[in-house]
Amino acid sequence: MELHHEFTVPVPVDDAWRALLDVERIAPCMPGATVDDYDGKTVTGSVKVKVGPITVTYRGTAVFEEQDESAHRMVLIANGKETRGQGTARATVTGTLAERDGGTAVSVRTDLTVTGRPAQFGRGVMAEVGDKLVGQFAECLARRLAEPTERTEPSEPVEPFQAAQPVQPVQPVQPVEPIDLLRTAGPPVAKRVAVAVATAVLALVFVRIRRHRHA
């Protein structure tokens, strides 16, 4: 399925370009995603998706196949596989940036192929979920770009034989919340899914009644 999303961020296009390539900086804005490693071209990580009571985790890589700074165009190819299942996800994401009213308009086209449990929702639901997730990402990105860049002050030289300072305890890493497809898509989609489930249950009951009568 092909999806198209657009959003704007309140910074010049060159700043937005550098920010979108700074994966470590924008990773917290990606719903359900965890970045394990990034070498400047390849991102390794995972994405958690919740479908009703079931949580599916995809692990894989995303590779920047193209980074055209002059045209402000990037192409990202991502592949993932369920950690506990046979489902797969593959996406080719093409992003283009353009100056607009002092800010930057970002256009994202995604060619997405999903197998497994999330695929049952179809293109319509996935498009609705994508719209809301992109909206959340854009809001988070805009907030981060508005934050002042931290400056690193030069450290003072340590005197010889200076007593070591006590080690500060490491703060626990907060678990990443999965993308909840039903909650993200909203009540209309949840209602459609509920109707589909109810229909399937009624069909199953009808089949069992017929079998019982034949017996």
Side-chain angles (χ1 to χ4, degrees):
M1 68 185 75
E2 185 171 320
L3 306 174
H4 182 214
H5 301 96
E6 292 186 349
F7 62 91
T8 59
V9 288
V11 296
V13 65
D14 288 335
D15 293 344
W17 172 261
R18 287 191 294 269
L20 288 173
L21 292 180
D22 188 350
V23 174
E24 288 91 346
R25 182 181 181 188
I26 67 173
C29 292
M30 302 176 185
T34 300
V35 174
D36 297 328
D37 185 58
Y38 176 52
D39 62 7
K41 182 177 181 181
T42 302
V43 184
T44 303
S46 61
V47 176
K48 291 183 179 180
V49 180
K50 186 177 181 183
V51 185
I54 302 171
T55 298
V56 180
T57 300
Y58 293 91
R59 289 197 61 83
T61 60
V63 180
F64 282 99
E65 290 292 324
E66 181 181 335
Q67 295 181 12
D68 189 339
E69 185 173 2
S70 60
H72 295 120
R73 181 179 186 272
M74 64 181 72
V75 178
L76 184 73
I77 297 180
N79 289 280
K81 186 180 184 301
E82 286 185 35
T83 56
R84 298 181 179 179
Q86 299 301 315
T88 61
R90 175 180 172 82
T92 299
V93 183
T94 303
T96 55
L97 285 65
E99 196 84 31
R100 179 181 296 175
D101 299 329
T104 300
V106 183
S107 174
V108 182
R109 289 191 178 276
T110 306
D111 185 1
L112 176 66
T113 302
V114 179
T115 65
R117 283 162 285 193
Q120 65 184 294
F121 291 99
R123 185 188 185 285
V125 174
M126 297 300 288
E128 292 182 40
V129 172
D131 289 342
K132 295 193 176 183
L133 292 179
V134 169
Q136 294 174 14
F137 173 79
E139 291 177 4
C140 177
L141 180 61
R143 290 196 301 270
R144 284 188 169 267
L145 291 177
E147 295 173 354
T149 304
E150 294 184 0
R151 295 183 178 179
T152 304
E153 297 295 336
S155 56
E156 297 181 358
V158 179
E159 296 294 334
F161 309 106
Q162 183 177 0
Q165 297 296 321
V167 178
Q168 296 297 324
V170 178
Q171 295 297 324
V173 178
Q174 295 297 324
V176 175
E177 289 294 324
I179 302 170
D180 191 326
L181 290 184
L182 297 185
R183 186 176 63 183
T184 302
V189 173
K191 183 178 180 180
R192 292 204 299 270
V193 174
V195 170
V197 172
T199 302
V201 171
L202 289 175
L204 181 60
V205 171
F206 178 71
V207 169
R208 288 184 175 178
I209 290 175
R210 289 191 61 184
R211 287 179 179 174
H212 178 73
R213 285 179 177 176
H214 284 299

